[in-house]
Amino acid sequence: MHEIAIVDNLITVVDDQVKEHQLEKVHRVHLVVGQLTGVVEDVLRFCWQVSAEGTPWEGAQLTVDQKAAVALCADCNVEYELKEQCFACPHCGGAIKSLVTGKELYIDYIEGD
Amino acid sequence: MEIKVLKNIMKRNEDLAGLNREIFDKHGIVTVNIMSSPGAGKTTILEKAIPILRKDLNLAIIEGDLMTSRDAERIKRQQVPVVQINTEGGCHLDANMINLSLNELDLADIDLIIIENVGNLVCPGTYDLGEHFKLVVLSVAEGDDKPAKYPLMFQESRACILNKIDLLPYSNFDLTTFNEDIHNLNPAMEIFHTAAFSGEGLEQWCSWLKDQVRQENYGKNDLTQEQRLK
């Protein structure tokens, strides 16, 4: 989808952390990405590598923790994983009250010195 | 060393979206972000809705397009303030673009800003623009499977306009499947059936939209509902 724009935003947060903690080198950036965001991990990593050239995070590993899409049922209040093209609760057939996970797009931690 | 960050990747966009929201609220402006795939009929819906909405609300339109100002030209003919944003290939609008475009509008005179996002059912869903709520438009020609294929957009929108409803007899679009998927994804979602080309169904949608503006503004500022919605 729009990985280069996401990486552009990601760099702003990483750069803030580098300055705040006076890091000379970043080794790893670990992200949490929800399934519903439509972010393609390989493309994200490619954009990251290209845009990291000449920065303290050049060569840093970009690791991703993919979060499944989980919904809370409006009728029986049970949490269930959303399967492809089926959004009704598998237990009672109810509709989604709210999404529990699946929309995440955040940096969990950074490793660096 | 490991540094716990726990910050949204889109933080910069979210901060700017928050700023936009403050600007809107300060001026008593309600803002709607309309999203759809290319060709679903967003611009035609606006062309037909503007004359209806203009009777009760001071409107402004922000037009997002990859290229050309064709849509903005169409809207301009409706005699409402319009700002064109060309993303030059970018697949969505972001909060910064909206922020910059606000410089071109006389905010003191506006009740409702309608943002027509770039035609795309994926990326616009990730970018908060500072809008008060989102709407999604789907046209019959695109097929009934789109809510299932692009769930996020339908999950996050307050209403869905099913446009080109006049094509229903000529397509295999299954209203039951569509309604079921929408209901399972977002039970509170309002669904409107329109044929924007002929104007069918737009009165209902406009009257709902006016209600939303009234509700969003209620208690938010010193102006009474009657003053805001003339």
Side-chain angles (χ1 to χ4, degrees):
Chain A
M1 39 113 88
H2 49 301
E3 283 73 7
I4 194 81
I6 288 179
V7 166
D8 188 39
N9 279 274
L10 170 65
I11 285 170
T12 314
V13 187
V14 173
D15 194 38
D16 284 350
Q17 294 295 319
V18 165
K19 284 177 185 146
E20 191 184 330
H21 299 280
Q22 296 174 347
L23 301 177
E24 284 173 17
K25 188 82 193 135
V26 177
H27 305 300
R28 179 202 293 265
V29 175
H30 187 72
L31 310 177
V32 177
V33 176
Q35 196 193 332
L36 291 171
T37 59
V39 172
V40 183
E41 213 177 305
D42 285 349
V43 182
L44 193 73
R45 206 166 276 126
F46 176 75
C47 296
W48 167 254
Q49 281 163 3
V50 171
S51 57
E53 279 174 19
T55 69
W57 51 89
E58 182 172 359
Q61 255 194 308
L62 189 71
T63 48
V64 177
D65 186 7
Q66 287 266 7
K67 278 261 187 223
V70 173
L72 180 69
C73 173
D75 293 341
C76 71
N77 237 25
V78 164
E79 288 183 9
Y80 63 98
E81 196 176 325
L82 295 182
K83 300 284 184 205
E84 202 180 325
Q85 302 217 9
C86 180
F87 306 110
C89 171
H91 308 286
C92 74
I96 296 175
K97 182 180 183 184
S98 59
L99 286 173
V100 183
T101 57
K103 293 202 294 190
E104 296 78 2
L105 201 54
Y106 67 89
I107 303 180
D108 187 7
Y109 62 86
I110 289 175
E111 284 172 12
D113 296 305
Chain B
M1 65 173 166
E2 183 180 309
I3 302 157
K4 206 71 180 157
V5 183
L6 298 177
K7 278 210 175 107
N8 196 313
I9 294 174
M10 312 301 280
K11 191 179 177 307
R12 188 180 53 183
N13 187 73
E14 284 191 353
D15 290 348
L16 275 166
L19 183 68
N20 289 348
R21 204 166 278 124
E22 272 175 35
I23 296 172
F24 297 140
D25 287 345
K26 195 176 107 193
H27 291 92
I29 299 170
V30 175
T31 306
V32 187
N33 176 7
I34 302 194
M35 305 174 294
S36 83
S37 49
K42 295 185 295 300
T43 313
T44 308
I45 288 172
L46 290 183
E47 279 178 313
K48 295 292 168 91
I50 288 168
I52 306 172
L53 294 168
R54 208 174 43 191
K55 288 181 209 156
D56 302 304
L57 294 166
N58 291 319
L59 284 174
I61 312 289
I62 297 176
E63 273 291 333
D65 268 308
L66 273 84
M67 284 169 203
T68 81
S69 55
R70 287 181 194 185
D71 288 357
E73 299 297 329
R74 283 167 64 185
I75 298 296
K76 232 181 237 169
R77 283 180 221 132
Q78 303 298 319
Q79 316 279 316
V80 290
V82 53
V83 184
Q84 170 78 51
I85 300 174
N86 270 138
T87 60
E88 288 164 0
C91 55
H92 55 266
L93 295 178
D94 65 30
N96 188 41
M97 298 174 192
I98 299 301
N99 194 266
L100 293 173
S101 69
L102 294 182
N103 295 329
E104 296 177 41
L105 293 170
D106 185 2
L107 299 177
D109 275 341
I110 299 171
D111 304 308
L112 172 66
I113 293 179
I114 301 179
I115 301 169
E116 182 182 335
N117 217 312
V118 176
N120 178 348
L121 278 178
V122 187
C123 311
T126 322
Y127 286 81
D128 183 0
L129 305 180
E131 76 273 349
H132 293 92
F133 59 96
K134 294 173 173 158
L135 295 179
V136 59
V137 180
L138 180 73
S139 65
V140 163
E142 293 165 69
D144 54 41
D145 56 355
K146 293 303 166 288
K149 285 187 175 173
Y150 304 91
L152 191 58
M153 199 145 283
F154 289 86
Q155 220 275 325
E156 294 204 321
S157 293
R158 193 177 286 184
C160 173
I161 298 180
L162 181 60
N163 193 32
K164 308 189 190 178
I165 199 78
D166 49 335
L167 297 182
L168 216 44
Y170 313 102
S171 79
N172 61 355
F173 191 100
D174 185 350
L175 265 183
T176 311
T177 307
F178 170 77
N179 286 334
E180 268 175 22
D181 281 345
I182 293 269
H183 175 77
N184 288 333
L185 268 171
N186 187 350
M189 189 180 239
E190 295 276 348
I191 300 175
F192 296 93
H193 290 181
T194 62
F197 194 65
S198 68
E200 183 188 336
L202 283 173
E203 284 283 353
Q204 288 98 312
W205 178 63
C206 288
S207 111
W208 174 85
L209 189 55
K210 285 178 201 170
D211 267 354
Q212 300 301 304
V213 173
R214 199 180 288 128
Q215 282 168 25
E216 288 287 343
N217 272 324
Y218 187 70
K220 248 189 207 166
N221 47 43
D222 309 338
L223 298 175
T224 63
Q225 286 182 68
E226 287 71 28
Q227 279 173 309
R228 191 101 317 275
L229 192 67
K230 294 184 296 285

Short mmCIF file of all heavy atoms in Angstrom, two decimals, chain B residues 31-67:
data_model
loop_
_atom_site.label_atom_id
_atom_site.label_comp_id
_atom_site.label_asym_id
_atom_site.label_seq_id
_atom_site.Cartn_x
_atom_site.Cartn_y
_atom_site.Cartn_z
N THR B 31 -16.11 18.39 10.06
CA THR B 31 -15.37 17.94 8.88
C THR B 31 -15.60 16.46 8.62
O THR B 31 -15.55 15.64 9.54
CB THR B 31 -13.86 18.22 9.07
OG1 THR B 31 -13.69 19.58 9.39
CG2 THR B 31 -13.08 17.90 7.82
N VAL B 32 -15.86 16.15 7.37
CA VAL B 32 -16.16 14.78 6.95
C VAL B 32 -15.11 14.35 5.93
O VAL B 32 -14.77 15.11 5.03
CB VAL B 32 -17.54 14.72 6.25
CG1 VAL B 32 -17.93 13.29 5.99
CG2 VAL B 32 -18.60 15.41 7.07
N ASN B 33 -14.65 13.13 6.07
CA ASN B 33 -13.65 12.57 5.15
C ASN B 33 -14.34 11.49 4.31
O ASN B 33 -14.73 10.45 4.84
CB ASN B 33 -12.51 12.01 6.01
CG ASN B 33 -11.43 11.31 5.20
OD1 ASN B 33 -11.42 11.34 3.98
ND2 ASN B 33 -10.51 10.66 5.92
N ILE B 34 -14.52 11.77 3.01
CA ILE B 34 -15.20 10.80 2.15
C ILE B 34 -14.18 9.98 1.37
O ILE B 34 -13.31 10.52 0.70
CB ILE B 34 -16.16 11.50 1.16
CG1 ILE B 34 -17.19 12.32 1.94
CG2 ILE B 34 -16.85 10.49 0.26
CD1 ILE B 34 -18.36 12.78 1.12
N MET B 35 -14.31 8.66 1.49
CA MET B 35 -13.35 7.76 0.85
C MET B 35 -14.08 6.76 -0.04
O MET B 35 -15.21 6.39 0.23
CB MET B 35 -12.58 6.99 1.94
CG MET B 35 -11.90 7.90 2.95
SD MET B 35 -11.15 7.01 4.31
CE MET B 35 -12.58 6.33 5.13
N SER B 36 -13.39 6.33 -1.08
CA SER B 36 -13.94 5.29 -1.96
C SER B 36 -12.84 4.89 -2.93
O SER B 36 -11.78 5.49 -2.95
CB SER B 36 -15.13 5.82 -2.76
OG SER B 36 -14.69 6.53 -3.89
N SER B 37 -13.13 3.90 -3.76
CA SER B 37 -12.19 3.58 -4.83
C SER B 37 -12.39 4.59 -5.97
O SER B 37 -13.38 5.33 -5.96
CB SER B 37 -12.40 2.15 -5.31
OG SER B 37 -13.76 1.94 -5.55
N PRO B 38 -11.48 4.64 -6.95
CA PRO B 38 -11.66 5.59 -8.05
C PRO B 38 -12.92 5.25 -8.84
O PRO B 38 -13.18 4.09 -9.12
CB PRO B 38 -10.41 5.38 -8.92
CG PRO B 38 -9.44 4.62 -8.10
CD PRO B 38 -10.25 3.84 -7.11
N GLY B 39 -13.70 6.26 -9.15
CA GLY B 39 -14.86 6.04 -10.02
C GLY B 39 -16.13 5.61 -9.32
O GLY B 39 -17.12 5.29 -9.97
N ALA B 40 -16.12 5.59 -7.98
CA ALA B 40 -17.33 5.18 -7.26
C ALA B 40 -18.41 6.27 -7.33
O ALA B 40 -19.60 5.99 -7.16
CB ALA B 40 -17.00 4.87 -5.81
N GLY B 41 -17.98 7.51 -7.59
CA GLY B 41 -18.95 8.58 -7.77
C GLY B 41 -18.90 9.67 -6.71
O GLY B 41 -19.87 10.43 -6.56
N LYS B 42 -17.79 9.80 -6.01
CA LYS B 42 -17.69 10.81 -4.95
C LYS B 42 -17.97 12.22 -5.47
O LYS B 42 -18.76 12.96 -4.89
CB LYS B 42 -16.28 10.82 -4.32
CG LYS B 42 -15.92 9.57 -3.58
CD LYS B 42 -14.55 9.70 -2.89
CE LYS B 42 -13.37 9.85 -3.84
NZ LYS B 42 -13.17 8.76 -4.78
N THR B 43 -17.33 12.57 -6.58
CA THR B 43 -17.47 13.94 -7.08
C THR B 43 -18.89 14.20 -7.57
O THR B 43 -19.45 15.27 -7.33
CB THR B 43 -16.44 14.20 -8.20
OG1 THR B 43 -15.17 13.74 -7.77
CG2 THR B 43 -16.35 15.68 -8.52
N THR B 44 -19.48 13.22 -8.24
CA THR B 44 -20.86 13.39 -8.72
C THR B 44 -21.82 13.52 -7.54
O THR B 44 -22.73 14.35 -7.56
CB THR B 44 -21.27 12.19 -9.62
OG1 THR B 44 -20.28 12.02 -10.61
CG2 THR B 44 -22.61 12.43 -10.27
N ILE B 45 -21.58 12.73 -6.49
CA ILE B 45 -22.41 12.84 -5.29
C ILE B 45 -22.32 14.27 -4.74
O ILE B 45 -23.33 14.90 -4.43
CB ILE B 45 -21.98 11.81 -4.22
CG1 ILE B 45 -22.40 10.41 -4.67
CG2 ILE B 45 -22.55 12.14 -2.84
CD1 ILE B 45 -21.87 9.28 -3.80
N LEU B 46 -21.10 14.79 -4.67
CA LEU B 46 -20.92 16.15 -4.15
C LEU B 46 -21.60 17.17 -5.04
O LEU B 46 -22.28 18.08 -4.56
CB LEU B 46 -19.43 16.47 -3.98
CG LEU B 46 -18.72 15.73 -2.86
CD1 LEU B 46 -17.28 16.18 -2.73
CD2 LEU B 46 -19.44 15.94 -1.52
N GLU B 47 -21.43 17.03 -6.35
CA GLU B 47 -22.06 17.97 -7.28
C GLU B 47 -23.56 18.05 -7.05
O GLU B 47 -24.16 19.12 -7.10
CB GLU B 47 -21.82 17.51 -8.73
CG GLU B 47 -20.47 17.91 -9.28
CD GLU B 47 -20.29 17.38 -10.69
OE1 GLU B 47 -20.57 16.19 -10.95
OE2 GLU B 47 -19.85 18.15 -11.55
N LYS B 48 -24.17 16.89 -6.81
CA LYS B 48 -25.62 16.87 -6.63
C LYS B 48 -26.04 17.25 -5.21
O LYS B 48 -27.13 17.75 -4.99
CB LYS B 48 -26.17 15.47 -6.96
CG LYS B 48 -25.99 15.08 -8.42
CD LYS B 48 -26.87 15.94 -9.32
CE LYS B 48 -26.51 15.80 -10.79
NZ LYS B 48 -27.22 14.78 -11.51
N ALA B 49 -25.14 16.98 -4.25
CA ALA B 49 -25.50 17.24 -2.85
C ALA B 49 -25.29 18.71 -2.46
O ALA B 49 -26.02 19.23 -1.61
CB ALA B 49 -24.67 16.34 -1.92
N ILE B 50 -24.31 19.35 -3.09
CA ILE B 50 -23.99 20.73 -2.69
C ILE B 50 -25.21 21.67 -2.75
O ILE B 50 -25.47 22.39 -1.80
CB ILE B 50 -22.80 21.27 -3.52
CG1 ILE B 50 -21.50 20.59 -3.05
CG2 ILE B 50 -22.66 22.79 -3.39
CD1 ILE B 50 -20.31 20.80 -3.95
N PRO B 51 -25.97 21.64 -3.86
CA PRO B 51 -27.14 22.54 -3.90
C PRO B 51 -28.14 22.27 -2.76
O PRO B 51 -28.81 23.19 -2.30
CB PRO B 51 -27.78 22.24 -5.26
CG PRO B 51 -26.70 21.64 -6.07
CD PRO B 51 -25.81 20.90 -5.11
N ILE B 52 -28.23 21.03 -2.32
CA ILE B 52 -29.16 20.69 -1.22
C ILE B 52 -28.57 21.16 0.11
O ILE B 52 -29.26 21.80 0.92
CB ILE B 52 -29.42 19.16 -1.17
CG1 ILE B 52 -29.90 18.64 -2.52
CG2 ILE B 52 -30.42 18.83 -0.06
CD1 ILE B 52 -29.99 17.12 -2.62
N LEU B 53 -27.29 20.87 0.32
CA LEU B 53 -26.65 21.21 1.60
C LEU B 53 -26.50 22.72 1.77
O LEU B 53 -26.59 23.25 2.88
CB LEU B 53 -25.27 20.54 1.69
CG LEU B 53 -25.25 19.01 1.75
CD1 LEU B 53 -23.84 18.48 1.54
CD2 LEU B 53 -25.81 18.52 3.08
N ARG B 54 -26.27 23.40 0.65
CA ARG B 54 -25.98 24.83 0.68
C ARG B 54 -27.15 25.66 1.22
O ARG B 54 -26.97 26.76 1.71
CB ARG B 54 -25.61 25.28 -0.74
CG ARG B 54 -24.69 26.47 -0.78
CD ARG B 54 -24.26 26.76 -2.19
NE ARG B 54 -25.35 26.66 -3.14
CZ ARG B 54 -25.19 26.66 -4.45
NH1 ARG B 54 -23.97 26.73 -4.96
NH2 ARG B 54 -26.21 26.59 -5.26
N LYS B 55 -28.34 25.07 1.11
CA LYS B 55 -29.53 25.79 1.61
C LYS B 55 -29.42 26.04 3.11
O LYS B 55 -29.96 27.00 3.63
CB LYS B 55 -30.79 24.96 1.33
CG LYS B 55 -31.19 24.93 -0.12
CD LYS B 55 -32.47 24.10 -0.25
CE LYS B 55 -32.55 23.43 -1.60
NZ LYS B 55 -33.41 22.24 -1.58
N ASP B 56 -28.78 25.11 3.84
CA ASP B 56 -28.74 25.21 5.30
C ASP B 56 -27.34 25.39 5.89
O ASP B 56 -27.21 25.71 7.06
CB ASP B 56 -29.34 23.94 5.92
CG ASP B 56 -30.75 23.71 5.46
OD1 ASP B 56 -31.57 24.62 5.65
OD2 ASP B 56 -31.02 22.64 4.88
N LEU B 57 -26.33 25.12 5.09
CA LEU B 57 -24.97 25.14 5.64
C LEU B 57 -24.02 25.90 4.74
O LEU B 57 -24.16 25.87 3.52
CB LEU B 57 -24.44 23.70 5.76
CG LEU B 57 -25.10 22.73 6.72
CD1 LEU B 57 -24.65 21.31 6.42
CD2 LEU B 57 -24.76 23.09 8.16
N ASN B 58 -23.03 26.56 5.37
CA ASN B 58 -21.94 27.13 4.59
C ASN B 58 -20.89 26.04 4.41
O ASN B 58 -20.33 25.53 5.38
CB ASN B 58 -21.32 28.33 5.30
CG ASN B 58 -22.27 29.50 5.33
OD1 ASN B 58 -22.95 29.79 4.35
ND2 ASN B 58 -22.33 30.15 6.47
N LEU B 59 -20.65 25.70 3.15
CA LEU B 59 -19.82 24.55 2.83
C LEU B 59 -18.46 24.96 2.28
O LEU B 59 -18.34 26.02 1.67
CB LEU B 59 -20.46 23.77 1.68
CG LEU B 59 -21.65 22.89 1.89
CD1 LEU B 59 -22.11 22.40 0.53
CD2 LEU B 59 -21.25 21.72 2.74
N ALA B 60 -17.49 24.10 2.47
CA ALA B 60 -16.25 24.20 1.69
C ALA B 60 -15.81 22.78 1.37
O ALA B 60 -16.11 21.84 2.13
CB ALA B 60 -15.17 24.91 2.50
N ILE B 61 -15.16 22.61 0.24
CA ILE B 61 -14.75 21.28 -0.20
C ILE B 61 -13.23 21.25 -0.35
O ILE B 61 -12.64 22.20 -0.89
CB ILE B 61 -15.39 20.92 -1.57
CG1 ILE B 61 -16.90 21.22 -1.59
CG2 ILE B 61 -15.09 19.48 -1.95
CD1 ILE B 61 -17.77 20.32 -0.77
N ILE B 62 -12.62 20.19 0.13
CA ILE B 62 -11.20 19.96 -0.13
C ILE B 62 -11.12 18.74 -1.03
O ILE B 62 -11.60 17.66 -0.68
CB ILE B 62 -10.40 19.74 1.18
CG1 ILE B 62 -10.47 21.00 2.05
CG2 ILE B 62 -8.94 19.39 0.86
CD1 ILE B 62 -9.80 20.87 3.42
N GLU B 63 -10.53 18.95 -2.21
CA GLU B 63 -10.48 17.91 -3.23
C GLU B 63 -9.10 17.28 -3.29
O GLU B 63 -8.12 17.97 -3.57
CB GLU B 63 -10.76 18.53 -4.61
CG GLU B 63 -12.22 18.64 -4.98
CD GLU B 63 -12.83 17.28 -5.24
OE1 GLU B 63 -12.11 16.36 -5.63
OE2 GLU B 63 -14.05 17.15 -5.03
N GLY B 64 -9.02 16.00 -3.03
CA GLY B 64 -7.74 15.30 -3.15
C GLY B 64 -7.68 14.51 -4.44
O GLY B 64 -8.61 13.76 -4.74
N ASP B 65 -6.63 14.70 -5.20
CA ASP B 65 -6.44 13.95 -6.44
C ASP B 65 -4.97 13.67 -6.66
O ASP B 65 -4.12 14.45 -6.22
CB ASP B 65 -6.97 14.74 -7.64
CG ASP B 65 -8.42 14.40 -7.95
OD1 ASP B 65 -8.70 13.21 -8.08
OD2 ASP B 65 -9.24 15.33 -8.03
N LEU B 66 -4.68 12.58 -7.34
CA LEU B 66 -3.29 12.32 -7.69
C LEU B 66 -2.78 13.40 -8.64
O LEU B 66 -1.71 13.96 -8.47
CB LEU B 66 -3.14 10.95 -8.37
CG LEU B 66 -2.96 9.77 -7.43
CD1 LEU B 66 -4.29 9.27 -6.95
CD2 LEU B 66 -2.20 8.66 -8.12
N MET B 67 -3.60 13.66 -9.65
CA MET B 67 -3.23 14.64 -10.65
C MET B 67 -4.49 15.33 -11.16
O MET B 67 -5.57 14.85 -10.91
CB MET B 67 -2.55 13.95 -11.85
CG MET B 67 -1.11 13.56 -11.57
SD MET B 67 -0.48 12.51 -12.83
CE MET B 67 0.83 11.71 -11.92
#
